Amino acid sequence: MIRTGAGRWVLLALIGVYAMLAVGNGIDRLSLYQEVSGRLVPDFLRAHLYRQDTRIALREARLDAARLAAAQAVRAAPVEPGSTSVLGSALFASAQNAPAHDAFRVAGRFGWRDIPAQVYLMLAALAFDDRKNAAERLDAIMRSAPDLEASQAAVTALEADARGQAALLARLTEGPGWLPVYARTAEGLSGAAFANRIAMLQRTAAAGHRPVCAGLTDSINRMAYEGGRFDDAYQLWQTGCATGTGIGAVNDPGFDRPAVAAPSPFDWTLPGAGGVSSTIDDGRLIARNDNLVREEVARQHLLLPPGVVDLVWEASADGSASGLAEAVQLRCPDGSTAPTESRTAAVGGGTEYRVQVKVSPSCRPQLLSIRIDSSVGEARF
């Protein structure tokens, strides 16, 4: 009985010690993701907490405390890149550049996922004109933190000259997971920086890697509708959404593809107002309008140069076909319709219609609008 009771107490003591160690280790690891109190964690389990202490001290500009905590982090976990990385950050903040560089180099060798070390080494490579190494470090950063401000600045720096473009293209043509982020952040660029980004996306597409169109739609729509940058939005749309099929200036003129769920200005949009139904099916736009007034059943933005333009379409209707001759219009941003030069209606029961309109320089972008009234019944374009 005595031995059994003593054994029970020893077992309970061991369980208690194990529980304390587990809790301490859990708190230490939790500090990787949020700030926690480490007062009850023993020193030998504080590797991550020392890094937290370093970050807090740096944020509060307590540089001596930051260096001390970072040194303790290295002693607690010398081969983990996060330890030497925070030491590099503390030394760099204290203007101890040479030892900071050494610490970041060690962190960089230990692991490619340590963001502060990779950012430092990327910026150092750019400063020393080492474009290839900078692109490699950028690739590592973009895989873990693609929206980081430093990485976006480095991207535009690499895109600015031929050697940087070549180094960056070597990474992009591998089809990295950050290609969609790289494409959609073109939204925040303008001028030469935007032109460089589009050129790189075009070269990447030529190598067989294009961003998924659905991931670009929000950026394209904001550029066009909120920023009024229809031409820039169209260039971005072409890098990931254009199919290269069809004729003329209209995207999918044969209605060969179903309407997309989240259309861009350059896709067919089916408004779907009350009393109006329209769908794309089997190479046709099928539409009906049960309202008393003429309604729009499909639209798409175009970017035509000034001059005379031919609009040609084929259409049939279950009801009166007379309204089909004026169903297709080219409208300007001010809401006006491009003036008609000539019009040819279907002859002898034919289904082809033609109108010639004049596009002025101020009429850009143009809205290709298909409108019908209730008298046509079901119309097919």
Side-chain angles (χ1 to χ4, degrees), residues 179-189 194-195 197-202 205 210-213 215-224 229-242 264-266 303:
L179 179 59
V181 176
Y182 176 76
R184 67 173 178 261
T185 48
E187 175 188 356
L189 304 177
F194 179 80
R197 179 66 52 86
I198 294 298
M200 291 298 295
L201 287 168
Q202 291 171 340
R210 285 158 52 100
V212 177
C213 179
L216 298 179
T217 304
D218 287 346
S219 295
I220 292 169
N221 286 335
R222 281 193 296 267
M223 291 174 68
R229 300 169 58 190
F230 276 86
D231 288 87
D232 288 349
Y234 182 71
Q235 291 186 64
L236 182 58
W237 177 82
Q238 285 183 309
T239 66
C241 301
S264 75
F266 315 108
L303 294 170

mmCIF file of all heavy atoms in Angstrom, residues 179-189 194-195 197-202 205 210-213 215-224 229-242 264-266 303:
data_model
loop_
_atom_site.group_PDB
_atom_site.id
_atom_site.type_symbol
_atom_site.label_atom_id
_atom_site.label_comp_id
_atom_site.label_asym_id
_atom_site.label_seq_id
_atom_site.Cartn_x
_atom_site.Cartn_y
_atom_site.Cartn_z
ATOM 1 N N LEU A 179 1.763 34.627 -58.931
ATOM 2 C CA LEU A 179 1.495 35.299 -60.199
ATOM 3 C C LEU A 179 0.186 36.089 -60.177
ATOM 4 O O LEU A 179 0.154 37.230 -60.681
ATOM 5 C CB LEU A 179 1.493 34.272 -61.337
ATOM 6 C CG LEU A 179 1.194 34.806 -62.739
ATOM 7 C CD1 LEU A 179 2.202 35.879 -63.138
ATOM 8 C CD2 LEU A 179 1.185 33.666 -63.755
ATOM 9 N N PRO A 180 -0.921 35.576 -59.591
ATOM 10 C CA PRO A 180 -2.151 36.380 -59.547
ATOM 11 C C PRO A 180 -1.981 37.691 -58.777
ATOM 12 O O PRO A 180 -2.518 38.729 -59.190
ATOM 13 C CB PRO A 180 -3.152 35.453 -58.852
ATOM 14 C CG PRO A 180 -2.642 34.071 -59.108
ATOM 15 C CD PRO A 180 -1.150 34.203 -59.090
ATOM 16 N N VAL A 181 -1.253 37.648 -57.670
ATOM 17 C CA VAL A 181 -1.014 38.881 -56.899
ATOM 18 C C VAL A 181 -0.174 39.849 -57.725
ATOM 19 O O VAL A 181 -0.445 41.055 -57.776
ATOM 20 C CB VAL A 181 -0.302 38.563 -55.571
ATOM 21 C CG1 VAL A 181 0.028 39.840 -54.811
ATOM 22 C CG2 VAL A 181 -1.167 37.647 -54.720
ATOM 23 N N TYR A 182 0.835 39.313 -58.383
ATOM 24 C CA TYR A 182 1.698 40.138 -59.235
ATOM 25 C C TYR A 182 0.871 40.834 -60.310
ATOM 26 O O TYR A 182 1.107 42.002 -60.623
ATOM 27 C CB TYR A 182 2.762 39.240 -59.857
ATOM 28 C CG TYR A 182 3.671 39.927 -60.844
ATOM 29 C CD1 TYR A 182 4.682 40.776 -60.410
ATOM 30 C CD2 TYR A 182 3.525 39.718 -62.213
ATOM 31 C CE1 TYR A 182 5.520 41.405 -61.317
ATOM 32 C CE2 TYR A 182 4.361 40.334 -63.125
ATOM 33 C CZ TYR A 182 5.355 41.178 -62.672
ATOM 34 O OH TYR A 182 6.180 41.805 -63.571
ATOM 35 N N ALA A 183 -0.098 40.127 -60.874
ATOM 36 C CA ALA A 183 -0.915 40.702 -61.945
ATOM 37 C C ALA A 183 -1.881 41.749 -61.406
ATOM 38 O O ALA A 183 -1.958 42.862 -61.938
ATOM 39 C CB ALA A 183 -1.679 39.594 -62.665
ATOM 40 N N ARG A 184 -2.610 41.424 -60.361
ATOM 41 C CA ARG A 184 -3.659 42.352 -59.922
ATOM 42 C C ARG A 184 -3.104 43.601 -59.249
ATOM 43 O O ARG A 184 -3.782 44.628 -59.208
ATOM 44 C CB ARG A 184 -4.665 41.653 -59.014
ATOM 45 C CG ARG A 184 -4.161 41.196 -57.673
ATOM 46 C CD ARG A 184 -5.332 40.678 -56.827
ATOM 47 N NE ARG A 184 -4.909 40.171 -55.530
ATOM 48 C CZ ARG A 184 -4.728 38.898 -55.252
ATOM 49 N NH1 ARG A 184 -4.930 37.985 -56.187
ATOM 50 N NH2 ARG A 184 -4.343 38.515 -54.052
ATOM 51 N N THR A 185 -1.872 43.554 -58.725
ATOM 52 C CA THR A 185 -1.304 44.764 -58.127
ATOM 53 C C THR A 185 -0.883 45.775 -59.188
ATOM 54 O O THR A 185 -0.472 46.883 -58.843
ATOM 55 C CB THR A 185 -0.099 44.425 -57.225
ATOM 56 O OG1 THR A 185 0.802 43.547 -57.917
ATOM 57 C CG2 THR A 185 -0.557 43.751 -55.943
ATOM 58 N N ALA A 186 -1.018 45.417 -60.462
ATOM 59 C CA ALA A 186 -0.824 46.414 -61.523
ATOM 60 C C ALA A 186 -1.824 47.549 -61.378
ATOM 61 O O ALA A 186 -1.587 48.661 -61.853
ATOM 62 C CB ALA A 186 -0.975 45.749 -62.889
ATOM 63 N N GLU A 187 -2.937 47.264 -60.714
ATOM 64 C CA GLU A 187 -3.969 48.278 -60.484
ATOM 65 C C GLU A 187 -3.406 49.526 -59.821
ATOM 66 O O GLU A 187 -3.838 50.649 -60.107
ATOM 67 C CB GLU A 187 -5.075 47.675 -59.624
ATOM 68 C CG GLU A 187 -6.153 48.649 -59.199
ATOM 69 C CD GLU A 187 -7.117 48.045 -58.186
ATOM 70 O OE1 GLU A 187 -6.994 46.840 -57.877
ATOM 71 O OE2 GLU A 187 -7.989 48.784 -57.699
ATOM 72 N N GLY A 188 -2.438 49.359 -58.932
ATOM 73 C CA GLY A 188 -1.887 50.495 -58.194
ATOM 74 C C GLY A 188 -0.756 51.209 -58.908
ATOM 75 O O GLY A 188 -0.174 52.148 -58.344
ATOM 76 N N LEU A 189 -0.435 50.807 -60.119
ATOM 77 C CA LEU A 189 0.676 51.398 -60.867
ATOM 78 C C LEU A 189 0.151 52.327 -61.953
ATOM 79 O O LEU A 189 -1.000 52.233 -62.377
ATOM 80 C CB LEU A 189 1.543 50.308 -61.489
ATOM 81 C CG LEU A 189 2.118 49.257 -60.542
ATOM 82 C CD1 LEU A 189 2.891 48.202 -61.330
ATOM 83 C CD2 LEU A 189 3.007 49.904 -59.490
ATOM 84 N N PHE A 194 3.432 50.933 -64.795
ATOM 85 C CA PHE A 194 2.332 50.107 -65.281
ATOM 86 C C PHE A 194 2.702 49.455 -66.606
ATOM 87 O O PHE A 194 2.424 48.262 -66.829
ATOM 88 C CB PHE A 194 1.068 50.957 -65.450
ATOM 89 C CG PHE A 194 -0.114 50.184 -65.964
ATOM 90 C CD1 PHE A 194 -0.874 49.393 -65.111
ATOM 91 C CD2 PHE A 194 -0.474 50.248 -67.311
ATOM 92 C CE1 PHE A 194 -1.959 48.673 -65.583
ATOM 93 C CE2 PHE A 194 -1.558 49.530 -67.789
ATOM 94 C CZ PHE A 194 -2.302 48.750 -66.925
ATOM 95 N N ALA A 195 3.324 50.207 -67.500
ATOM 96 C CA ALA A 195 3.733 49.662 -68.800
ATOM 97 C C ALA A 195 4.718 48.511 -68.617
ATOM 98 O O ALA A 195 4.636 47.491 -69.320
ATOM 99 C CB ALA A 195 4.346 50.763 -69.662
ATOM 100 N N ARG A 197 4.911 46.493 -66.013
ATOM 101 C CA ARG A 197 4.198 45.344 -65.464
ATOM 102 C C ARG A 197 3.432 44.611 -66.579
ATOM 103 O O ARG A 197 3.449 43.380 -66.651
ATOM 104 C CB ARG A 197 3.242 45.799 -64.366
ATOM 105 C CG ARG A 197 2.417 44.690 -63.716
ATOM 106 C CD ARG A 197 3.271 43.712 -62.935
ATOM 107 N NE ARG A 197 4.140 44.375 -61.992
ATOM 108 C CZ ARG A 197 3.793 44.719 -60.745
ATOM 109 N NH1 ARG A 197 2.590 44.397 -60.288
ATOM 110 N NH2 ARG A 197 4.666 45.319 -59.958
ATOM 111 N N ILE A 198 2.766 45.360 -67.429
ATOM 112 C CA ILE A 198 2.011 44.741 -68.518
ATOM 113 C C ILE A 198 2.953 43.996 -69.458
ATOM 114 O O ILE A 198 2.662 42.874 -69.900
ATOM 115 C CB ILE A 198 1.199 45.800 -69.290
ATOM 116 C CG1 ILE A 198 0.110 46.394 -68.386
ATOM 117 C CG2 ILE A 198 0.586 45.203 -70.544
ATOM 118 C CD1 ILE A 198 -0.910 45.395 -67.899
ATOM 119 N N ALA A 199 4.104 44.603 -69.761
ATOM 120 C CA ALA A 199 5.077 43.948 -70.650
ATOM 121 C C ALA A 199 5.564 42.634 -70.045
ATOM 122 O O ALA A 199 5.706 41.625 -70.753
ATOM 123 C CB ALA A 199 6.246 44.883 -70.920
ATOM 124 N N MET A 200 5.791 42.625 -68.734
ATOM 125 C CA MET A 200 6.243 41.391 -68.079
ATOM 126 C C MET A 200 5.144 40.333 -68.088
ATOM 127 O O MET A 200 5.409 39.140 -68.295
ATOM 128 C CB MET A 200 6.675 41.700 -66.645
ATOM 129 C CG MET A 200 7.947 42.533 -66.533
ATOM 130 S SD MET A 200 9.387 41.698 -67.246
ATOM 131 C CE MET A 200 9.537 40.301 -66.148
ATOM 132 N N LEU A 201 3.909 40.743 -67.881
ATOM 133 C CA LEU A 201 2.797 39.790 -67.916
ATOM 134 C C LEU A 201 2.615 39.226 -69.319
ATOM 135 O O LEU A 201 2.290 38.042 -69.488
ATOM 136 C CB LEU A 201 1.517 40.473 -67.442
ATOM 137 C CG LEU A 201 1.432 40.752 -65.945
ATOM 138 C CD1 LEU A 201 0.258 41.681 -65.629
ATOM 139 C CD2 LEU A 201 1.300 39.456 -65.148
ATOM 140 N N GLN A 202 2.828 40.054 -70.324
ATOM 141 C CA GLN A 202 2.726 39.570 -71.701
ATOM 142 C C GLN A 202 3.823 38.552 -72.005
ATOM 143 O O GLN A 202 3.561 37.520 -72.650
ATOM 144 C CB GLN A 202 2.805 40.751 -72.670
ATOM 145 C CG GLN A 202 1.584 41.667 -72.626
ATOM 146 C CD GLN A 202 1.775 42.945 -73.424
ATOM 147 O OE1 GLN A 202 2.905 43.350 -73.725
ATOM 148 N NE2 GLN A 202 0.681 43.598 -73.765
ATOM 149 N N ALA A 205 2.930 35.369 -70.251
ATOM 150 C CA ALA A 205 1.869 34.663 -70.968
ATOM 151 C C ALA A 205 2.420 33.957 -72.200
ATOM 152 O O ALA A 205 2.007 32.838 -72.527
ATOM 153 C CB ALA A 205 0.767 35.642 -71.362
ATOM 154 N N ARG A 210 -0.398 32.342 -67.466
ATOM 155 C CA ARG A 210 -1.286 33.498 -67.376
ATOM 156 C C ARG A 210 -2.030 33.475 -66.052
ATOM 157 O O ARG A 210 -2.399 32.398 -65.581
ATOM 158 C CB ARG A 210 -2.324 33.474 -68.517
ATOM 159 C CG ARG A 210 -1.791 33.862 -69.870
ATOM 160 C CD ARG A 210 -2.651 33.326 -70.996
ATOM 161 N NE ARG A 210 -4.060 33.648 -70.873
ATOM 162 C CZ ARG A 210 -4.681 34.636 -71.529
ATOM 163 N NH1 ARG A 210 -3.985 35.409 -72.339
ATOM 164 N NH2 ARG A 210 -5.970 34.837 -71.382
ATOM 165 N N PRO A 211 -2.244 34.642 -65.444
ATOM 166 C CA PRO A 211 -3.047 34.661 -64.215
ATOM 167 C C PRO A 211 -4.490 34.274 -64.526
ATOM 168 O O PRO A 211 -4.987 34.511 -65.630
ATOM 169 C CB PRO A 211 -2.948 36.121 -63.758
ATOM 170 C CG PRO A 211 -2.647 36.891 -65.007
ATOM 171 C CD PRO A 211 -1.801 35.986 -65.852
ATOM 172 N N VAL A 212 -5.158 33.674 -63.563
ATOM 173 C CA VAL A 212 -6.556 33.288 -63.745
ATOM 174 C C VAL A 212 -7.401 34.550 -63.856
ATOM 175 O O VAL A 212 -7.298 35.463 -63.030
ATOM 176 C CB VAL A 212 -7.036 32.414 -62.571
ATOM 177 C CG1 VAL A 212 -8.515 32.075 -62.729
ATOM 178 C CG2 VAL A 212 -6.199 31.138 -62.499
ATOM 179 N N CYS A 213 -8.254 34.586 -64.875
ATOM 180 C CA CYS A 213 -9.043 35.786 -65.158
ATOM 181 C C CYS A 213 -9.901 36.205 -63.966
ATOM 182 O O CYS A 213 -9.998 37.395 -63.653
ATOM 183 C CB CYS A 213 -9.907 35.546 -66.383
ATOM 184 S SG CYS A 213 -10.967 36.952 -66.826
ATOM 185 N N GLY A 215 -9.415 36.125 -60.929
ATOM 186 C CA GLY A 215 -8.668 36.851 -59.912
ATOM 187 C C GLY A 215 -8.341 38.279 -60.302
ATOM 188 O O GLY A 215 -7.911 39.080 -59.455
ATOM 189 N N LEU A 216 -8.529 38.639 -61.572
ATOM 190 C CA LEU A 216 -8.221 39.986 -62.047
ATOM 191 C C LEU A 216 -9.452 40.880 -62.145
ATOM 192 O O LEU A 216 -9.326 42.099 -62.248
ATOM 193 C CB LEU A 216 -7.564 39.918 -63.435
ATOM 194 C CG LEU A 216 -6.230 39.198 -63.562
ATOM 195 C CD1 LEU A 216 -5.768 39.221 -65.013
ATOM 196 C CD2 LEU A 216 -5.181 39.841 -62.671
ATOM 197 N N THR A 217 -10.632 40.273 -62.121
ATOM 198 C CA THR A 217 -11.847 41.014 -62.455
ATOM 199 C C THR A 217 -12.083 42.213 -61.545
ATOM 200 O O THR A 217 -12.419 43.307 -62.022
ATOM 201 C CB THR A 217 -13.070 40.079 -62.405
ATOM 202 O OG1 THR A 217 -12.845 38.970 -63.272
ATOM 203 C CG2 THR A 217 -14.317 40.808 -62.859
ATOM 204 N N ASP A 218 -11.908 42.048 -60.251
ATOM 205 C CA ASP A 218 -12.133 43.171 -59.329
ATOM 206 C C ASP A 218 -11.199 44.333 -59.640
ATOM 207 O O ASP A 218 -11.622 45.502 -59.648
ATOM 208 C CB ASP A 218 -11.947 42.713 -57.880
ATOM 209 C CG ASP A 218 -13.092 41.840 -57.387
ATOM 210 O OD1 ASP A 218 -14.141 41.803 -58.055
ATOM 211 O OD2 ASP A 218 -12.927 41.191 -56.340
ATOM 212 N N SER A 219 -9.929 44.042 -59.881
ATOM 213 C CA SER A 219 -8.965 45.098 -60.197
ATOM 214 C C SER A 219 -9.320 45.781 -61.513
ATOM 215 O O SER A 219 -9.267 47.018 -61.630
ATOM 216 C CB SER A 219 -7.548 44.517 -60.273
ATOM 217 O OG SER A 219 -7.132 44.035 -59.017
ATOM 218 N N ILE A 220 -9.687 44.988 -62.519
ATOM 219 C CA ILE A 220 -10.061 45.544 -63.823
ATOM 220 C C ILE A 220 -11.275 46.453 -63.687
ATOM 221 O O ILE A 220 -11.306 47.572 -64.230
ATOM 222 C CB ILE A 220 -10.334 44.401 -64.823
ATOM 223 C CG1 ILE A 220 -9.050 43.653 -65.141
ATOM 224 C CG2 ILE A 220 -10.968 44.939 -66.100
ATOM 225 C CD1 ILE A 220 -9.247 42.362 -65.897
ATOM 226 N N ASN A 221 -12.283 46.011 -62.942
ATOM 227 C CA ASN A 221 -13.493 46.814 -62.777
ATOM 228 C C ASN A 221 -13.222 48.107 -62.024
ATOM 229 O O ASN A 221 -13.766 49.166 -62.372
ATOM 230 C CB ASN A 221 -14.569 45.999 -62.058
ATOM 231 C CG ASN A 221 -15.194 44.944 -62.955
ATOM 232 O OD1 ASN A 221 -15.190 45.074 -64.168
ATOM 233 N ND2 ASN A 221 -15.727 43.885 -62.365
ATOM 234 N N ARG A 222 -12.392 48.033 -60.983
ATOM 235 C CA ARG A 222 -12.071 49.272 -60.241
ATOM 236 C C ARG A 222 -11.312 50.249 -61.126
ATOM 237 O O ARG A 222 -11.576 51.462 -61.092
ATOM 238 C CB ARG A 222 -11.265 48.934 -58.988
ATOM 239 C CG ARG A 222 -12.092 48.408 -57.829
ATOM 240 C CD ARG A 222 -11.287 48.390 -56.538
ATOM 241 N NE ARG A 222 -10.170 47.468 -56.617
ATOM 242 C CZ ARG A 222 -10.211 46.203 -56.219
ATOM 243 N NH1 ARG A 222 -11.340 45.710 -55.730
ATOM 244 N NH2 ARG A 222 -9.150 45.424 -56.304
ATOM 245 N N MET A 223 -10.351 49.737 -61.894
ATOM 246 C CA MET A 223 -9.587 50.621 -62.777
ATOM 247 C C MET A 223 -10.504 51.318 -63.778
ATOM 248 O O MET A 223 -10.364 52.520 -64.036
ATOM 249 C CB MET A 223 -8.512 49.819 -63.517
ATOM 250 C CG MET A 223 -7.396 49.317 -62.638
ATOM 251 S SD MET A 223 -6.261 48.238 -63.537
ATOM 252 C CE MET A 223 -5.491 49.404 -64.667
ATOM 253 N N ALA A 224 -11.434 50.561 -64.339
ATOM 254 C CA ALA A 224 -12.302 51.112 -65.380
ATOM 255 C C ALA A 224 -13.387 52.009 -64.803
ATOM 256 O O ALA A 224 -13.503 53.189 -65.169
ATOM 257 C CB ALA A 224 -12.922 49.977 -66.176
ATOM 258 N N ARG A 229 -9.894 54.395 -65.971
ATOM 259 C CA ARG A 229 -8.716 53.951 -66.730
ATOM 260 C C ARG A 229 -9.101 52.753 -67.613
ATOM 261 O O ARG A 229 -8.588 51.654 -67.470
ATOM 262 C CB ARG A 229 -7.589 53.581 -65.774
ATOM 263 C CG ARG A 229 -7.109 54.705 -64.881
ATOM 264 C CD ARG A 229 -6.182 54.192 -63.789
ATOM 265 N NE ARG A 229 -5.022 53.498 -64.350
ATOM 266 C CZ ARG A 229 -4.156 52.795 -63.613
ATOM 267 N NH1 ARG A 229 -4.349 52.690 -62.303
ATOM 268 N NH2 ARG A 229 -3.133 52.201 -64.181
ATOM 269 N N PHE A 230 -9.991 52.982 -68.567
ATOM 270 C CA PHE A 230 -10.475 51.883 -69.397
ATOM 271 C C PHE A 230 -9.360 51.297 -70.262
ATOM 272 O O PHE A 230 -9.285 50.079 -70.440
ATOM 273 C CB PHE A 230 -11.632 52.355 -70.277
ATOM 274 C CG PHE A 230 -12.967 52.315 -69.586
ATOM 275 C CD1 PHE A 230 -13.394 53.376 -68.821
ATOM 276 C CD2 PHE A 230 -13.790 51.198 -69.698
ATOM 277 C CE1 PHE A 230 -14.621 53.346 -68.177
ATOM 278 C CE2 PHE A 230 -15.021 51.157 -69.060
ATOM 279 C CZ PHE A 230 -15.440 52.228 -68.300
ATOM 280 N N ASP A 231 -8.498 52.150 -70.789
ATOM 281 C CA ASP A 231 -7.417 51.636 -71.641
ATOM 282 C C ASP A 231 -6.452 50.772 -70.845
ATOM 283 O O ASP A 231 -6.038 49.699 -71.299
ATOM 284 C CB ASP A 231 -6.677 52.800 -72.315
ATOM 285 C CG ASP A 231 -7.504 53.449 -73.412
ATOM 286 O OD1 ASP A 231 -8.297 54.350 -73.099
ATOM 287 O OD2 ASP A 231 -7.372 53.029 -74.574
ATOM 288 N N ASP A 232 -6.074 51.221 -69.645
ATOM 289 C CA ASP A 232 -5.190 50.424 -68.789
ATOM 290 C C ASP A 232 -5.886 49.131 -68.360
ATOM 291 O O ASP A 232 -5.269 48.061 -68.338
ATOM 292 C CB ASP A 232 -4.780 51.225 -67.553
ATOM 293 C CG ASP A 232 -3.793 52.335 -67.882
ATOM 294 O OD1 ASP A 232 -3.268 52.354 -69.013
ATOM 295 O OD2 ASP A 232 -3.542 53.184 -67.007
ATOM 296 N N ALA A 233 -7.162 49.243 -67.998
ATOM 297 C CA ALA A 233 -7.905 48.060 -67.588
ATOM 298 C C ALA A 233 -7.978 47.037 -68.719
ATOM 299 O O ALA A 233 -7.881 45.822 -68.487
ATOM 300 C CB ALA A 233 -9.323 48.463 -67.149
ATOM 301 N N TYR A 234 -8.108 47.526 -69.948
ATOM 302 C CA TYR A 234 -8.172 46.628 -71.100
ATOM 303 C C TYR A 234 -6.841 45.897 -71.286
ATOM 304 O O TYR A 234 -6.818 44.696 -71.602
ATOM 305 C CB TYR A 234 -8.516 47.424 -72.349
ATOM 306 C CG TYR A 234 -8.651 46.581 -73.594
ATOM 307 C CD1 TYR A 234 -9.730 45.717 -73.759
ATOM 308 C CD2 TYR A 234 -7.714 46.659 -74.615
ATOM 309 C CE1 TYR A 234 -9.871 44.946 -74.901
ATOM 310 C CE2 TYR A 234 -7.837 45.891 -75.767
ATOM 311 C CZ TYR A 234 -8.918 45.037 -75.902
ATOM 312 O OH TYR A 234 -9.042 44.267 -77.036
ATOM 313 N N GLN A 235 -5.738 46.587 -71.067
ATOM 314 C CA GLN A 235 -4.433 45.932 -71.188
ATOM 315 C C GLN A 235 -4.267 44.836 -70.141
ATOM 316 O O GLN A 235 -3.763 43.743 -70.448
ATOM 317 C CB GLN A 235 -3.308 46.966 -71.042
ATOM 318 C CG GLN A 235 -3.207 47.943 -72.190
ATOM 319 C CD GLN A 235 -1.987 48.829 -72.060
ATOM 320 O OE1 GLN A 235 -0.840 48.373 -72.106
ATOM 321 N NE2 GLN A 235 -2.221 50.120 -71.873
ATOM 322 N N LEU A 236 -4.698 45.109 -68.904
ATOM 323 C CA LEU A 236 -4.620 44.087 -67.868
ATOM 324 C C LEU A 236 -5.559 42.931 -68.200
ATOM 325 O O LEU A 236 -5.204 41.755 -68.000
ATOM 326 C CB LEU A 236 -4.973 44.700 -66.508
ATOM 327 C CG LEU A 236 -4.895 43.754 -65.303
ATOM 328 C CD1 LEU A 236 -3.506 43.159 -65.161
ATOM 329 C CD2 LEU A 236 -5.292 44.482 -64.021
ATOM 330 N N TRP A 237 -6.735 43.236 -68.705
ATOM 331 C CA TRP A 237 -7.700 42.208 -69.100
ATOM 332 C C TRP A 237 -7.100 41.285 -70.156
ATOM 333 O O TRP A 237 -7.277 40.067 -70.111
ATOM 334 C CB TRP A 237 -8.963 42.890 -69.622
ATOM 335 C CG TRP A 237 -10.017 41.973 -70.128
ATOM 336 C CD1 TRP A 237 -10.949 41.295 -69.403
ATOM 337 C CD2 TRP A 237 -10.263 41.638 -71.497
ATOM 338 N NE1 TRP A 237 -11.756 40.547 -70.237
ATOM 339 C CE2 TRP A 237 -11.357 40.742 -71.529
ATOM 340 C CE3 TRP A 237 -9.662 42.005 -72.705
ATOM 341 C CZ2 TRP A 237 -11.866 40.222 -72.711
ATOM 342 C CZ3 TRP A 237 -10.161 41.477 -73.883
ATOM 343 C CH2 TRP A 237 -11.252 40.592 -73.882
ATOM 344 N N GLN A 238 -6.370 41.847 -71.085
ATOM 345 C CA GLN A 238 -5.782 41.042 -72.151
ATOM 346 C C GLN A 238 -4.758 40.039 -71.632
ATOM 347 O O GLN A 238 -4.584 38.969 -72.217
ATOM 348 C CB GLN A 238 -5.131 41.945 -73.200
ATOM 349 C CG GLN A 238 -6.116 42.657 -74.117
ATOM 350 C CD GLN A 238 -5.415 43.467 -75.169
ATOM 351 O OE1 GLN A 238 -4.531 44.271 -74.872
ATOM 352 N NE2 GLN A 238 -5.781 43.252 -76.426
ATOM 353 N N THR A 239 -4.074 40.359 -70.534
ATOM 354 C CA THR A 239 -3.021 39.466 -70.044
ATOM 355 C C THR A 239 -3.570 38.186 -69.435
ATOM 356 O O THR A 239 -2.847 37.183 -69.371
ATOM 357 C CB THR A 239 -2.146 40.168 -68.991
ATOM 358 O OG1 THR A 239 -2.931 40.449 -67.816
ATOM 359 C CG2 THR A 239 -1.558 41.462 -69.529
ATOM 360 N N GLY A 240 -4.820 38.206 -68.984
ATOM 361 C CA GLY A 240 -5.338 37.010 -68.328
ATOM 362 C C GLY A 240 -6.715 36.575 -68.759
ATOM 363 O O GLY A 240 -7.136 35.464 -68.437
ATOM 364 N N CYS A 241 -7.436 37.423 -69.485
ATOM 365 C CA CYS A 241 -8.833 37.129 -69.796
ATOM 366 C C CYS A 241 -9.120 36.981 -71.280
ATOM 367 O O CYS A 241 -10.001 36.215 -71.662
ATOM 368 C CB CYS A 241 -9.730 38.232 -69.225
ATOM 369 S SG CYS A 241 -9.598 38.452 -67.439
ATOM 370 N N ALA A 242 -8.430 37.723 -72.127
ATOM 371 C CA ALA A 242 -8.711 37.667 -73.561
ATOM 372 C C ALA A 242 -8.370 36.286 -74.108
ATOM 373 O O ALA A 242 -7.371 35.676 -73.706
ATOM 374 C CB ALA A 242 -7.913 38.738 -74.292
ATOM 375 N N SER A 264 -16.183 41.635 -66.609
ATOM 376 C CA SER A 264 -15.427 42.877 -66.689
ATOM 377 C C SER A 264 -16.122 43.771 -67.710
ATOM 378 O O SER A 264 -17.072 43.340 -68.381
ATOM 379 C CB SER A 264 -13.997 42.580 -67.128
ATOM 380 O OG SER A 264 -13.957 42.293 -68.516
ATOM 381 N N PRO A 265 -15.677 45.006 -67.887
ATOM 382 C CA PRO A 265 -16.301 45.860 -68.909
ATOM 383 C C PRO A 265 -16.194 45.277 -70.313
ATOM 384 O O PRO A 265 -16.982 45.640 -71.191
ATOM 385 C CB PRO A 265 -15.516 47.171 -68.795
ATOM 386 C CG PRO A 265 -14.946 47.167 -67.423
ATOM 387 C CD PRO A 265 -14.663 45.738 -67.115
ATOM 388 N N PHE A 266 -15.222 44.376 -70.534
ATOM 389 C CA PHE A 266 -14.937 43.889 -71.881
ATOM 390 C C PHE A 266 -15.524 42.501 -72.134
ATOM 391 O O PHE A 266 -15.199 41.857 -73.131
ATOM 392 C CB PHE A 266 -13.427 43.912 -72.103
ATOM 393 C CG PHE A 266 -12.802 45.187 -71.617
ATOM 394 C CD1 PHE A 266 -12.009 45.201 -70.463
ATOM 395 C CD2 PHE A 266 -13.054 46.390 -72.252
ATOM 396 C CE1 PHE A 266 -11.467 46.379 -69.985
ATOM 397 C CE2 PHE A 266 -12.521 47.576 -71.780
ATOM 398 C CZ PHE A 266 -11.726 47.578 -70.640
ATOM 399 N N LEU A 303 -13.119 49.895 -77.228
ATOM 400 C CA LEU A 303 -12.138 50.982 -77.263
ATOM 401 C C LEU A 303 -11.737 51.220 -78.723
ATOM 402 O O LEU A 303 -10.614 50.965 -79.142
ATOM 403 C CB LEU A 303 -10.920 50.629 -76.409
ATOM 404 C CG LEU A 303 -11.188 50.526 -74.905
ATOM 405 C CD1 LEU A 303 -9.991 49.929 -74.175
ATOM 406 C CD2 LEU A 303 -11.511 51.905 -74.328
#
